[in-house]
Amino acid sequence: MKKYPKINIELHLSSVGYRDILNYGLDASIHIGDVIDNSFVARTIMPFTRKLYASREYIERHGRPASLEDLHGHNVLVTRLPDGQLDNKLIFNHGEILINSRVVSNSSYYIRHAVSQGDGIAVLPEITMRPQVESGAIIDLLPAYETTMDNIWLVYPSRKGLSYAARLFIDYVLEEVALLLTEKGA
């Protein structure tokens, strides 16, 4: 916004996917998951890595799980995916577990908020939790365990006919991601 003060941004949060950009007349979409429509240009931004997190408060009250099996004795919050399925079969690089949760939400924002309030443990995107982990408010419970569900993509309808503002946005996103990955050491 500071760099390009004359460019307007319209943001739509949707679980429907990148196809919404045509319906809303938008220039681009940041999408997690498969891009199956080859009429769109799709550029990989980064892997969508998720890990197990809980607040320091939750750990003080309930203890810290030392293994995936220990999760059965904890309140693990689960997401309902846009297709209606539960994201309760957690497949990690070092094992998997099926979770029976008392709390299910289709909102990752709610799940993240509940974790930060000490209401439970959840598998959340590393990229969104990094600041809280670095501050010490949130704990990466099993640091060696992660799951890469899909990639994060920058999707837009075509290279032809892109407005100057859309081209600047795409370039900006790709530059920022490169900086983020450099900071992360990826």
Side-chain angles (χ1 to χ4, degrees):
M1 300 291 300
K2 292 176 187 173
K3 190 172 181 179
Y4 302 105
K6 293 184 179 185
I7 293 178
N8 298 325
I9 295 175
E10 182 174 340
L11 178 68
H12 287 258
L13 300 177
S14 169
S15 61
V16 177
Y18 59 90
R19 291 178 198 88
D20 271 359
I21 61 179
L22 296 176
N23 296 334
Y24 288 107
L26 303 174
D27 294 312
S29 172
I30 296 175
H31 175 74
I32 299 168
D34 293 331
V35 179
I36 55 174
D37 188 337
N38 62 6
S39 67
F40 288 90
V41 176
R43 298 187 60 183
T44 303
I45 296 178
M46 65 190 331
F48 183 61
T49 302
R50 300 181 314 153
K51 299 182 89 176
L52 284 161
Y53 297 102
S55 70
R56 188 169 297 285
E57 175 189 348
Y58 179 87
I59 299 303
E60 288 170 2
R61 283 194 330 253
H62 302 284
R64 182 176 181 156
S67 69
L68 289 180
E69 288 303 316
D70 289 350
L71 293 175
H72 289 299
H74 287 272
N75 187 30
V76 180
L77 313 172
V78 172
T79 303
R80 185 169 299 280
L81 300 172
D83 65 4
Q85 292 186 358
L86 285 179
D87 188 20
N88 65 336
K89 184 176 182 181
L90 308 179
I91 302 172
F92 294 93
N93 55 337
H94 297 296
E96 63 183 67
I97 188 168
L98 184 64
I99 298 294
N100 295 314
S101 181
R102 293 179 48 227
V103 179
V104 176
S105 177
N106 69 337
S107 169
S108 62
Y109 300 105
Y110 168 76
I111 299 285
R112 190 171 65 221
H113 176 74
V115 166
S116 68
Q117 296 301 305
D119 294 336
I121 295 171
V123 175
L124 292 164
E126 182 181 23
I127 191 169
T128 62
M129 301 307 290
R130 187 175 305 135
Q132 291 177 287
V133 170
E134 289 172 356
S135 75
I138 297 293
I139 308 297
D140 179 351
L141 295 175
L142 299 170
Y145 288 78
E146 63 181 41
T147 176
T148 301
M149 190 170 155
D150 287 302
N151 283 323
I152 302 174
W153 299 87
L154 179 60
V155 182
Y156 44 100
S158 170
R159 286 184 173 91
K160 295 177 183 177
L162 274 179
S163 69
Y164 181 64
R167 183 77 250 161
L168 288 173
F169 171 76
I170 291 166
D171 291 345
Y172 173 78
V173 167
L174 295 174
E175 288 170 16
E176 289 297 309
V177 167
L179 286 173
L180 182 66
L181 291 174
T182 301
E183 290 172 5
K184 181 182 174 186

